[in-house]
């Protein structure tokens, strides 16, 4: 004999299906970005944290391991040093591949003329960081939009750093990658 229709049971099943992403803590967009990120970034997103700190003159992107892990630290450093060089030359193809060509701020960053956007890399305990600096308000605004989009896309594997309006960031140990042919460095 068939069971009688139970609307509460069906409502519970439907609610569970709709909440699966929320329970997992990721939106479909974040899951998509994580999947594409794994194709571009050699380190584990789940084992690391991206920290995006907006500054008066741009921002600092830091990636560190959640727990001590020499292999993940080496992979972070290798990747960030490489993309810092690319970014300094106006090549933002890696983030475009991960986040899409319509990522907020990306078109403006790609349009920066040589010398307008300075990009520096350095090692930090457990990972590395990229420092982005510009005196051009349009580029600083684009960097802030870009950071916000990355925070949203990386979800629980990212966090906003404390806003540093003084931009008195410790520059010791900084390695600068100036755009080719500009002759400029930090």
């Amino acid at each position: 004999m068939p069971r009688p229709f139970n609307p509460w049971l069906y409502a519970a099943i439907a609610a569970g299906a709709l909440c699966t992403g929320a329970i997992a803590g990721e939106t479909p967009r974040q899951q998509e970005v994580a999947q594409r990120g794994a194709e571009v970034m050699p380190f584990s997103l789940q084992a690391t944290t991206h920290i995006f700190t907006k500054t008066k003159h741009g921002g600092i992107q830091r990636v560190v391991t959640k727990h001590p892990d020499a292999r993940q630290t080496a992979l972070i450093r290798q990747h960030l040093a490489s993309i810092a060089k690319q970014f300094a030359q106006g090549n933002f193809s890696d983030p475009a591949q991960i986040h899409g060509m319509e990522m907020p701020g990306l078109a403006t960053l790609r349009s920066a003329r040589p010398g307008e956007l300075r990009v520096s890399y350095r090692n930090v305990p457990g990972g590395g960081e990229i420092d982005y600096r510009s005196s051009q308000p349009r580029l600083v605004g684009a960097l802030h939009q870009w950071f916000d989009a990355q925070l949203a896309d990386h979800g629980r594997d990212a966090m906003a750093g404390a806003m540093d309006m003084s931009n008195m960031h410790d520059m010791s140990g900084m390695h600068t990658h100036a755009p080719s042919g500009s002759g400029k460095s930090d």
Side-chain angles (χ1 to χ4, degrees), residues 5-85:
F5 174 74
N6 183 339
W8 295 109
L9 175 62
Y10 286 97
I13 292 170
L18 290 173
C19 293
T20 302
I23 291 169
E26 291 184 334
T27 67
R29 166 80 178 160
Q30 290 167 343
Q31 292 170 356
E32 181 181 311
V33 166
Q35 182 179 5
R36 288 192 305 239
E39 297 168 6
V40 174
M41 295 180 280
F43 52 86
S44 165
L45 280 177
Q46 294 77 24
T48 59
T49 299
H50 285 68
I51 304 164
F52 297 94
T53 304
K54 296 176 188 177
T55 65
K56 181 178 172 182
H57 298 289
I60 300 165
Q61 175 183 3
R62 179 179 281 207
V63 181
V64 294
T65 58
K66 292 179 181 172
H67 306 287
D69 185 327
R71 181 176 176 273
Q72 290 298 316
T73 298
L75 292 171
I76 291 167
R77 290 174 175 170
Q78 173 191 13
H79 178 70
L80 292 185
S82 175
I83 64 171
K85 290 177 185 176

Side-chain angles (χ1 to χ4, degrees), residues 116-185:
E116 287 187 322
L117 178 62
R118 291 172 300 182
V119 182
S120 306
Y121 168 79
R122 79 176 191 151
N123 292 339
V124 298
E129 71 179 20
I130 301 173
D131 188 357
Y132 304 87
R133 293 176 179 250
S134 180
S135 61
Q136 301 295 316
R138 78 182 201 293
L139 294 175
V140 173
L143 281 164
H144 292 179
Q145 290 177 334
W146 190 51
F147 277 18
D148 288 342
Q150 291 193 68
L151 282 167
D153 280 354
H154 289 297
R156 67 177 178 225
D157 296 319
M159 62 185 278
M163 182 80 156
D164 178 10
M165 291 308 291
S166 67
N167 209 19
M168 300 303 279
H169 185 67
D170 177 15
M171 296 297 288
S172 63
M174 189 67 75
H175 305 286
T176 303
H177 303 286
S180 296
S182 74
K184 296 184 180 188
S185 65

